[in-house]
Amino acid sequence: MQLTEEQQQIRDVARSFAQREIAPFAAAWDRDGGAPRELFRRMAGVGLMGVMIDSCWGGAGADFVSYALAIEEISAADGGISNMMAANNSPVAAAIEQSGSDQQRRDYLTKLTSGEWLGCFHLTEPHTGSDAAAIRTRATADGDEYVLNGHKAFITAGSSADLAMIVAVTDPAAGKRGITTFATPTDNPGYQVIATETKLGHRTNDTCQVVFENMRVPAADVLGEPGRGLGIALGNLSLGRIGVAAQATGGARAAMRAAYEYAQERETFGRPIIEHQAISFTLAEMATQIEAARQLYLHAAQMRDQGLECAREASMAKLFASEMAERVASKAIQIHGGYGYLADYPVEKIYRDVRVYQIYEGTSEVQKMLISRMLDGTDW
C-alpha cells in the first residue's frame, strides 16, 4: 500500500529515534536487564507513547497504520522496548480514551501519553492464557470500593508500570457478562509483584507475576461499566495482533540487515559470500518474506482505520509474521556461521527476541483455529 505523507513522517520519526536512542544501547540493556525509565519519557516527547490518542490528551492523534509502522521501527531496534510501547499505547491508553471517564482521561491518560507514567495490562493468569473468559481474579464490591484478590502472570511492565489495567470477575454467576475492567495505580499496597521472570528474550522489559491481596480499588477506577470488562479488554485484540505482526516484521528486518551487511564483508574462496548464489538466494527469500509480512499487517491496519472488520486479517498477519520472523532470524544466524551463535553479533539477540511473537496475543495454534472459523468459501 502507498503511505500518506503523515504516515511516512511518523514512521521516519520512529526510525530516527530508534536508530539514535535505542539501537546503540540495546545489547547493553539486554545484558543489564532493562532500559532506563528516561527513555520512555523521550519516546513520549516524539509522540510514541500515545500515537493514536487525541492531541487534547497529549497524544499524536495519528491513525492505526501510523502506530503499526512506528511499532515496526522500535522493534527493529529492540523487541522488549517495543513491548513496553505497545502495552502503553494499546490496550491501556486506547481503552481509557475509548471507555474511560473524563476524570480517568485527565488523571491517567495524559500521564501515559507524556511518559510520566507507564501502563500495564493484567489479563493472563497462571492457569489460562488465550481463554480470557476463564480468569479467576475476583473483585468484590464493598461500598464505594472493590476488593481485588487474584494472581496474574506474564505481565509486561508489571513491576515498572505506574498504572494497571486489570480484568477481574465481579459477578461469577453472570459468566462473560460478569467481568469488569479497572484502571488503577500500582502503588496500592495490595498490588504485589511476587516474581520478575528470567526470559529467553525481551530482557529489556520486565515480565512479572503479580498478586492482588485484598487490594482496595475505588469504584471510580472501573473502566466503562461493571460487567462490560471483557469487551473492553478484548475490544482491541485485533489491534494487538496487528501490533505483534509489526513487531515481528521489525525484528526480522533487523536480522536481515545484519545478515546482508555481514555477507558483504565476509569473504570465502576469494570473494564476499553475498556473491555466492546460496547466500544471495537466501537473502532474496528473506527479503520477500519480510515484505509479505509487512503488506499483511498494513492491509489489516488499513482495514481497521476504515472501520472494517479485520479479525481474520489480523490473525493472518500475526500468524505469518511471527513464524516468518523466526525463520528469517535463523537464516541470519546461518549466514553468520559460527559467529551468529555468539552474543558478540546482533543476530543472537534478535533470534531470542523474535521467538515469543508466536506465543503472546494468541499462539500460532490459536490463530489457525480462529482463521479456520472465519474462512468463507466464496473467497477462494
Side-chain angles (χ1 to χ4, degrees):
M1 62 174 283
Q2 294 297 313
L3 304 179
T4 66
E5 184 175 346
E6 180 183 20
Q7 290 164 350
Q8 292 178 42
Q9 289 175 344
I10 291 173
R11 179 201 61 193
D12 292 346
V13 165
R15 179 176 296 176
S16 176
F17 184 93
Q19 292 176 350
R20 183 181 68 253
E21 302 278 358
I22 300 175
F25 315 104
W29 293 338
D30 179 77
R31 291 192 299 271
D32 296 342
R37 183 60 177 264
E38 178 58 29
L39 174 71
F40 300 101
R41 296 189 181 93
R42 296 199 298 271
M43 288 177 69
V46 294
L48 295 176
M49 299 304 282
V51 178
M52 298 176 290
I53 304 302
D54 192 281
S55 59
C56 70
W57 305 114
D63 62 9
F64 186 63
V65 168
S66 299
Y67 167 70
L69 290 165
I71 280 285
E72 178 187 333
E73 296 302 328
I74 299 302
S75 181
D78 184 82
I81 291 168
S82 75
N83 239 18
M84 301 278 276
M85 173 187 166
N88 198 82
N89 272 270
S90 178
V92 182
I96 293 173
E97 182 179 44
Q98 294 165 9
S99 303
S101 65
D102 285 342
Q103 179 181 345
Q104 289 171 331
R105 295 186 188 109
R106 285 193 303 269
D107 293 349
Y108 298 154
L109 189 54
T110 54
K111 291 180 180 178
L112 293 173
T113 58
S114 70
E116 180 182 350
W117 279 13
L118 290 174
C120 60
F121 180 43
H122 292 254
L123 176 63
T124 303
E125 299 185 355
H127 68 283
T128 180
S130 297
D131 186 7
I135 62 172
R136 297 174 183 169
T137 296
R138 295 290 187 262
T140 305
D142 184 16
D144 293 333
E145 295 180 318
Y146 285 84
V147 181
L148 272 65
N149 285 279
H151 185 180
K152 298 292 185 178
F154 300 107
I155 306 304
T156 296
S159 65
S160 59
D162 307 275
L163 185 75
M165 179 177 163
I166 303 169
V167 185
V169 177
T170 48
D171 184 358
K176 293 181 180 180
R177 296 186 178 181
I179 295 174
T180 300
T181 295
F182 300 83
T184 194
T186 61
D187 60 2
N188 190 309
Y191 184 100
Q192 299 180 22
V193 177
I194 62 169
T196 299
E197 309 292 4
T198 301
K199 309 188 296 292
L200 174 70
H202 284 223
R203 296 176 181 174
T204 50
N205 76 264
D206 54 293
T207 302
C208 304
Q209 293 187 50
V210 179
V211 165
F212 312 124
E213 193 168 290
N214 294 322
M215 178 176 165
R216 289 191 167 269
V217 175
D221 280 349
V222 170
L223 194 56
E225 299 176 10
R228 306 293 293 273
L230 192 62
I232 293 170
L234 302 185
N236 290 315
L237 203 58
S238 290
L239 276 67
R241 288 171 178 162
I242 299 168
V244 174
Q247 285 183 296
T249 303
R253 195 184 88 202
M256 169 75 192
R257 178 173 181 172
Y260 181 81
E261 292 177 348
Y262 182 82
Q264 289 182 310
E265 298 169 0
R266 171 69 166 161
E267 292 187 2
T268 62
F269 306 106
R271 55 178 174 164
I273 62 173
I274 199 170
E275 295 182 12
H276 298 297
Q277 189 179 80
I279 301 299
S280 63
F281 277 21
T282 297
L283 289 168
E285 292 171 354
M286 292 161 66
T288 301
Q289 292 181 50
I290 292 167
E291 187 58 30
R294 181 178 294 115
Q295 293 306 317
L296 276 170
Y297 89 66
L298 286 174
H299 173 60
Q302 187 178 55
M303 288 181 68
R304 189 270 181 187
D305 281 334
Q306 293 172 346
L308 301 174
E309 176 55 52
C310 63
R312 186 181 70 176
E313 289 74 14
S315 286
M316 287 178 169
K318 199 267 187 188
L319 172 65
F320 181 83
S322 63
E323 298 197 343
M324 173 278 299
E326 185 183 9
R327 291 195 303 270
V328 166
S330 180
K331 290 294 187 183
I333 289 175
Q334 195 71 17
I335 288 172
H336 279 73
Y339 291 110
Y341 203 67
L342 304 180
D344 297 340
Y345 286 77
V347 289
E348 178 268 345
K349 174 183 179 298
I350 295 168
Y351 186 85
R352 290 189 286 104
D353 281 347
V354 301
R355 183 58 183 86
V356 75
Y357 298 136
Q358 297 175 56
I359 299 173
Y360 64 43
E361 293 287 353
T363 63
S364 289
E365 292 74 21
V366 166
Q367 303 312 316
K368 292 173 185 177
M369 178 184 70
L370 294 172
I371 294 165
S372 69
R373 291 175 178 175
M374 292 182 281
L375 291 177
D376 184 343
T378 62
D379 291 344
W380 319 108

